[in-house]
Amino acid sequence: MIEVVYIVRHAFRGNWTVDHQTGKYTSLLHRTPTGIPTDPPLTSKGVEQSKELAEYLCNIEPPIDRIYSSPFYRCLQTIKPTTDRLFEEGKAQGKIRIDRGIGEFFGRATWDHPTPPDLTLLTLHFENLDQDHVSLHLPSSKGEMILELHDRVRNALDHIITTLDNDAEQPKTVLLCTHAATMIAAGRVLTGQMPDDPDEDDFKCYTAGLSKFVRRSVDPAKGVPGNWDCVLNSETSYLSGGAERGWHFNGDESFVAFPDNPLGETDTSKL
């Protein structure tokens, strides 16, 4: 059974803007690698972070057995130095599974948010991708409220871990690469520590930061949600710049106006 879950947030990335009236996204780059405005690559700083992260992850104990990633370019680029080395040295089993269940969180809107790149497009940029894995838990095209995000992440993690628990090769650890909001939600789902106020600054999510969760009980009857202890909360000691660009929820993070959010404002710096 899976005994350890490692979760890393993508490294420092490029930015984009969104017109809250029209829902039009614009990349601050001339063009992103996948042509999707919300899919920028890492900055030069982020590339350095990814290399420092790889040095840490490739020597971590217990070692990484399985790897899942959000479909966004910045996540796969973040773990590329790690996965290239692990696969070359034969240390990780299988290939990278792209799963939208641990993908980006976009606030509820009246328009459709950009769809992340599909496997065909990503395969043009990255090697070692699992061509057979299918995402079962997808966010709504019009975004999510915070509780909807937590439900999506809960279902995705339950499916991922249960699938690996039943894997004939009996992997013990899994690495997930995701985003700030999703990383916070994952910490709450795994530990069962959902605060009364979703805005509470509990689980950290620094760029290229690593969290580690250890299973409390291997009894299948205990289930996946709420059965893990957090022993690393976005560790960054291996990064030359330390803990940077932390984030936490602030209101509904929605583009749609609600009584406690009259302007429908949101902060896209988390994505």
Side-chain angles (χ1 to χ4, degrees):
M1 297 181 72
I2 291 295
E3 298 174 358
V4 174
V5 174
Y6 297 114
I7 304 180
V8 65
R9 181 187 174 191
H10 63 77
F12 206 97
R13 58 153 174 81
N15 291 317
W16 65 84
T17 61
V18 58
D19 185 323
H20 291 202
Q21 300 301 317
T22 65
K24 180 181 179 180
Y25 286 86
T26 303
S27 171
L28 298 186
L29 301 173
H30 291 296
R31 179 177 173 82
T32 64
T34 59
I36 300 169
T38 56
D39 197 29
L42 303 181
T43 63
S44 58
K45 178 180 180 63
V47 171
E48 288 305 309
Q49 286 182 319
S50 72
K51 294 175 181 177
E52 293 173 332
L53 174 67
E55 285 299 312
Y56 189 77
L57 289 180
C58 289
N59 295 288
I60 202 168
E61 290 294 337
I64 297 166
D65 290 331
R66 290 286 191 272
I67 302 164
Y68 284 72
S69 176
S70 159
F72 285 91
Y73 190 96
R74 55 193 175 275
C75 287
L76 286 164
Q77 188 181 10
T78 295
I79 59 173
K80 188 178 188 304
T82 300
T83 56
D84 282 353
R85 180 170 163 183
L86 289 178
F87 288 130
E88 181 180 349
E89 296 176 356
K91 292 182 178 179
Q93 304 165 358
K95 295 187 175 183
I96 305 168
R97 295 176 178 176
I98 305 301
D99 201 295
R100 291 190 62 189
I102 58 170
E104 188 55 276
F105 165 64
F106 291 97
R108 182 73 66 81
T110 57
W111 63 80
D112 288 336
H113 294 291
T115 302
D118 60 21
L119 193 57
T120 300
L121 181 52
L122 288 173
T123 301
L124 299 176
H125 299 276
F126 300 99
E127 300 176 340
N128 301 311
L129 303 186
D130 189 322
Q131 300 296 317
D132 298 321
H133 179 72
V134 177
S135 300
L136 297 182
H137 304 286
L138 281 61
S140 167
S141 64
K142 286 185 166 53
E144 303 163 299
M145 301 301 291
I146 294 175
L147 292 181
E148 292 173 322
L149 164 69
H150 284 76
D151 286 342
R152 186 244 298 177
V153 173
R154 177 182 297 106
N155 291 332
L157 291 179
D158 185 69
H159 177 71
I160 289 170
I161 295 172
T162 299
T163 297
L164 296 177
D165 283 346
N166 294 321
D167 191 315
E169 294 182 340
Q170 298 184 327
K172 300 297 183 184
T173 66
V174 60
L175 170 67
L176 313 177
C177 187
T178 186
H179 310 262
T182 311
M183 188 170 182
I184 295 171
R188 293 171 176 177
V189 167
L190 291 173
T191 62
Q193 298 173 7
M194 180 65 187
D196 293 332
D197 181 2
D199 294 354
E200 182 175 321
D201 190 7
D202 48 2
F203 291 97
K204 309 300 182 182
C205 53
Y206 303 112
T207 49
L210 175 73
S211 292
K212 176 181 178 181
F213 299 87
V214 177
R215 202 168 197 154
R216 296 174 190 157
S217 172
V218 295
D219 181 357
K222 297 291 185 180
V224 171
N227 192 28
W228 305 76
D229 291 317
C230 180
V231 297
L232 288 178
N233 190 0
S234 201
E235 172 69 25
T236 58
S237 62
Y238 48 85
L239 298 176
S240 57
E244 297 181 277
R245 212 178 189 188
W247 183 89
H248 64 89
F249 292 104
N250 182 21
D252 283 318
E253 313 302 331
S254 175
F255 294 90
V256 179
F258 286 88
D260 58 345
N261 184 19
L263 299 180
E265 296 178 344
T266 192
D267 176 11
T268 58
S269 64
K270 65 183 178 299
L271 303 174

